[in-house]
C-alpha cells in the first residue's frame, strides 16, 4: 500500500452518502419523537394571588437581599435557577399570608443558614467571613515590610581580596 492508489468500488464510495441521506430524511421524525407532546408536558404550578404594589416592592427588596444557593454570586432577583424561582414563590406566598420582612428573612435563615443572606450579619460565627480579608491584607503587608527591611540591611563592604577577585572576574574576556 505504499503510495499506490486503491480504487474504491461504487458501493464503498456511495455508502457514506447513502447513510447521510437517510439520516437527513429521518431527522424531522427523530426531532418530533424527541420533543414531548403537550399532553405529557409537566403541569404548571398554580398562579399565586396578585400582590399589592407595596407588597411587590417588599418581595423585590427581599429577593435582592437573599442569595441564590445554586448560583451563589447572584441574588434571588437576578437568578433564573429553578431553586431561585421556588424561593421567590415562597417569598410571595409568605407575603400573601401577611408575614413581616423580618419573619421571612428568619424563615430563610433558619432553613438555609446565614449564608442565604446576601449581606450576612456580623456575629461570632461570621467574624471570619467579615474580618478574614482584612486580616489577610494586614498579614501580606507585614510580610512585605519585613522582606523589604531585610533587603535594606547594610551589607559589609568588600574586603581587598574580594574586590581583587571581582575585578579579575569582570576583566576576563570569554
Amino acid at each position: 500500500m505504499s503510495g499506490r492508489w486503491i480504487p474504491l468500488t461504487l458501493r464503498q464510495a456511495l455508502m457514506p452518502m447513502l447513510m447521510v441521506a437517510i439520516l437527513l430524511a429521518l431527522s424531522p421524525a427523530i426531532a418530533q419523537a424527541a420533543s414531548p407532546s403537550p399532553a405529557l408536558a409537566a403541569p404548571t404550578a398554580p398562579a399565586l394571588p396578585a400582590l399589592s404594589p407595596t407588597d411587590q416592592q417588599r418581595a423585590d427588596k427581599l429577593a435582592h437581599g437573599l442569595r441564590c444557593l445554586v448560583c451563589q454570586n447572584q441574588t434571588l432577583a437576578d437568578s433564573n435557577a429553578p431553586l431561585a424561582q421556588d424561593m421567590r414563590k415562597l417569598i410571595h406566598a409568605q407575603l400573601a399570608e401577611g408575614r413581616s420582612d423580618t419573619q421571612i428573612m428568619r424563615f430563610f435563615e433558619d432553613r438555609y443558614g446565614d449564608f442565604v443572606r446576601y449581606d450576612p450579619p456580623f456575629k461570632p460565627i461570621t467574624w471570619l467571613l467579615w474580618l478574614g480579608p482584612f486580616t489577610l491584607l494586614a498579614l501580606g503587608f507585614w510580610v512585605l515590610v519585613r522582606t523589604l527591611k531585610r533587603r535594606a540591611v547594610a551589607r559589609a563592604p568588600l574586603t581587598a581580596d574580594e574586590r581583587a577577585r571581582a575585578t579579575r572576574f569582570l576583566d576576563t574576556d570569554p
Side-chain angles (χ1 to χ4, degrees), residues 104-164:
I104 296 171
M105 287 298 264
R106 175 103 38 229
F107 167 79
F108 283 105
E109 285 176 2
D110 291 344
R111 195 171 211 187
Y112 301 109
D114 288 329
F115 182 75
V116 75
R117 292 186 60 166
Y118 211 69
D119 55 342
F122 188 74
K123 56 186 186 182
I125 199 160
T126 61
W127 284 354
L128 182 63
L129 177 68
W130 283 102
L131 301 176
F134 299 111
T135 305
L136 289 176
L137 183 65
L139 181 67
F141 184 71
W142 177 76
V143 168
L144 176 68
V145 167
R146 188 170 171 206
T147 304
L148 291 177
K149 280 185 179 180
R150 282 186 182 173
R151 286 186 183 177
V153 171
R155 295 185 179 150
L158 296 176
T159 64
D161 289 339
E162 291 172 336
R163 193 172 300 223

Side-chain angles (χ1 to χ4, degrees), residues 45-170:
L48 295 171
L51 292 176
S52 68
T54 56
D55 283 345
Q56 187 60 46
Q57 286 177 345
R58 287 176 54 206
D60 291 342
K61 182 182 174 189
L62 287 167
H64 278 85
L66 293 171
R67 180 185 312 273
C68 173
L69 298 172
V70 176
C71 308
Q72 295 186 0
N73 288 332
Q74 289 182 327
T75 63
L76 286 182
D78 298 332
S79 176
N80 290 327
L83 179 63
Q85 293 171 359
D86 291 342
M87 290 172 77
R88 285 193 298 265
K89 288 178 185 175
L90 278 172
I91 292 172
H92 194 275
Q94 289 186 10
L95 284 173
E97 290 174 6
R99 294 200 175 147
S100 69
D101 293 356
T102 54
Q103 288 174 326
I104 296 171
M105 287 298 264
R106 175 103 38 229
F107 167 79
F108 283 105
E109 285 176 2
D110 291 344
R111 195 171 211 187
Y112 301 109
D114 288 329
F115 182 75
V116 75
R117 292 186 60 166
Y118 211 69
D119 55 342
F122 188 74
K123 56 186 186 182
I125 199 160
T126 61
W127 284 354
L128 182 63
L129 177 68
W130 283 102
L131 301 176
F134 299 111
T135 305
L136 289 176
L137 183 65
L139 181 67
F141 184 71
W142 177 76
V143 168
L144 176 68
V145 167
R146 188 170 171 206
T147 304
L148 291 177
K149 280 185 179 180
R150 282 186 182 173
R151 286 186 183 177
V153 171
R155 295 185 179 150
L158 296 176
T159 64
D161 289 339
E162 291 172 336
R163 193 172 300 223
R165 206 168 99 203
T167 305
R168 280 193 312 261
F169 178 74
L170 292 173

